[in-house]
Amino acid sequence: MIRMLIVGYCFGIRSERRLCEEVHLNLAYRWFCRMGLENAVPEHSTFSKNRHGRFRDSDVLRHVFESVLGRCMSEGFVKGEGFAIDASIIRADASSARGVPGSESIDWGCVTGQSRAVREYLEALEEANPAGTEAAEMTETSTPPERISLTDPAASWTAAKGGLPFFAYSINYLIDLQAGIIVDVEATPANRSHEVESTRTMIERVEQRCDLKPRRLVGDTAYGSAAMLAWMIEEKEIAPHVPLWDKTMRKDNTLSSSEFKWDELANEYRCPTGHALRSDRHKFRNPRSRVTKADTIIYRTSQFDCENRSMKDRCCPNTPFRKIARIIHEAVRDKTRRIANTPEYNQSCRERKKVEMLFAHLKRILKLDRLRLRGPSGAHDGFLMAATAQNLRRMAKRLVPGSKQMNQAVA
C-alpha cells in the first residue's frame, strides 16, 4: 500500500480510486508494488482505514521518508554543509463558503458527532489549554482568527498577493544545497510565526536523527528576525545567510539609527555631531536591566544637547530629544550584516532558488496545489509523501543513466 501511494504521488495521481485502477492495469506499477498478475489490488477505502489507523499510530510515513533520505545520504547526494529553508502555501480541502468569522461563537456540538478534522482540532485545543488553567483564560482573551472553517478548523484564512482569500496550510522544506535533496518537511498553519518556528524543529530533528548540522542556513527575510538570528548564531553556531529583518531605515529624510555610531565599550551611541545617547543617565542604587517588554534598550540623548544642535530638524524634528531602541540581539544582527557583504552570501542567494524550484515542481508536476486530506495530520501525511516522491525522483535521475529524459516524457 505504501508503494502504491508513492506511485500516486510520483505521477500526480491524486484520487486513490483512480490509483487502484492504474495499478490494476499497469504492469510497471504492479512490479514496483510487488504484485503479481494474480494478486488483487486493494480497495480504495482500505487506504483511508489504514491512514487513520496503523499508518499514523506507527508514524510509518515519516519512517519511509527518512529511509529514502538515508539512501540519498549513502549515495553521496547530501553534503550537509549548507541548508536552505522556505515555506509555500497549499490550499486546504475546505470551501471558503463553509467559514464563519473568528469572533463569532461556534457551537461545535458533540465532539464524537463531528468530522475527524474537527475532532482533531478540538482535542488539540483541549490538550494545549486545559479548562480552568491560566493558559485557557489567556486564549479566551486573545485575538481570534479572522475566519474559521467549519470543515477544517485548523486551516488558516490567508490570501496570496492580489488574490482572493482561502483556507490553507504551509509546507515547510529544509533542503541540502548540494543536490536539492529534502532533508525534512513540516506542516504548519499558513502564517509567518509558525513557519519560522518550524525551522528550529526541523534543524534539531535532522541533527538528532541524521547527525547532520549545516554550517550555513539560507532563507528569505522572514527568517531574519533578531530572535531567530540569535538562535542560529549563539545556540546552533550556524551562519545565517538571510536578509536582515530591519525596520530602522527612515523614509522622511531624517537620520536613521544606522547613522549613529555605536561604542561597545562605553555602551552608548554617538550622533553625527558627537553627542552621546545613553541608557542610564540617572544612576539608581539598585541597578536596572533597562530591557523593555519588546526586548530592547532605549538610548536617549540629553534634551539640552538637542535644543542647541543645528541638525535637530533632521534628527528629531517632532520630539524634544532623540532616542534609539537597540535590540538586545543587535550584536548578532551586526554579524549578519557582515555576512551579507561576503561572496559566499551572494552564492547562497543564487542557490536558494533550489527550494523554490521544488515548490514549483510540487504544484505543477505532482499536482499538489490543493490538499485532499483534512486536518493537521492529513497535511502532515500529504506533505511527507510528496517530499518522499520528490527525493525518489531526484535520486533516480542521478542513479539511472537516461532516466531524466524518461521521467520527463512520462511526466
Side-chain angles (χ1 to χ4, degrees), residues 20 74 130 142 232 274 282 284 318 335-336 348 357 385 393:
C20 293
S74 64
S142 59
M232 282 191 279
H282 301 285
F284 294 90
N318 302 318
K335 186 172 182 179
T336 304
S348 297
M357 292 170 61
M385 290 303 299
R393 289 172 64 107

Side-chain angles (χ1 to χ4, degrees), residues 214-230:
R215 186 182 62 83
R216 58 191 171 106
L217 182 67
V218 184
D220 57 22
T221 312
Y223 305 92
S225 63
M228 188 64 190
L229 296 175

Side-chain angles (χ1 to χ4, degrees), residues 231-369:
W231 177 80
M232 282 191 279
I233 294 176
E234 297 175 352
E235 293 188 29
K236 306 305 291 184
E237 297 181 350
I238 299 174
H241 287 217
V242 298
L244 187 66
W245 183 276
D246 193 359
K247 293 186 176 180
T248 61
M249 298 301 297
R250 296 189 173 187
K251 300 180 180 179
D252 56 356
N253 200 32
T254 58
L255 297 177
S256 301
S257 58
S258 59
E259 299 180 65
F260 289 73
K261 186 178 180 180
W262 169 249
D263 189 337
E264 184 71 30
L265 295 177
N267 188 29
E268 65 182 20
Y269 281 97
R270 285 283 175 175
C271 72
T273 58
H275 294 101
L277 286 79
R278 301 190 180 97
S279 62
D280 53 355
R281 288 188 173 274
H282 301 285
K283 300 296 182 180
F284 294 90
R285 180 176 300 177
N286 297 322
R288 301 185 180 185
S289 66
R290 306 287 182 177
V291 179
T292 67
K293 293 182 179 180
D295 288 337
T296 61
I297 299 177
I298 307 299
Y299 290 82
R300 300 178 177 87
T301 186
S302 168
Q303 184 174 349
F304 175 78
D305 292 338
C306 290
E307 288 177 349
N308 298 279
R309 191 166 56 180
S310 59
M311 296 183 63
K312 186 178 187 306
D313 291 339
R314 286 199 59 206
C315 184
C316 50
N318 302 318
T319 57
F321 56 88
R322 178 63 185 264
K323 63 181 180 179
I324 296 177
R326 180 179 174 87
I327 301 175
I328 59 175
H329 301 301
E330 193 65 33
V332 298
R333 285 162 56 89
D334 291 338
K335 186 172 182 179
T336 304
R337 292 187 182 98
R338 292 193 294 269
I339 293 175
N341 295 323
T342 62
E344 190 178 19
Y345 176 85
N346 296 330
Q347 176 65 24
S348 297
C349 292
R350 291 190 291 269
E351 291 178 331
R352 192 170 66 87
K353 67 180 181 181
K354 292 182 179 180
V355 65
E356 297 172 352
M357 292 170 61
L358 283 170
F359 288 138
H361 178 268
L362 177 74
K363 297 179 180 181
R364 293 179 179 270
I365 306 301
L366 302 190
K367 310 297 183 185
L368 193 63
D369 55 348

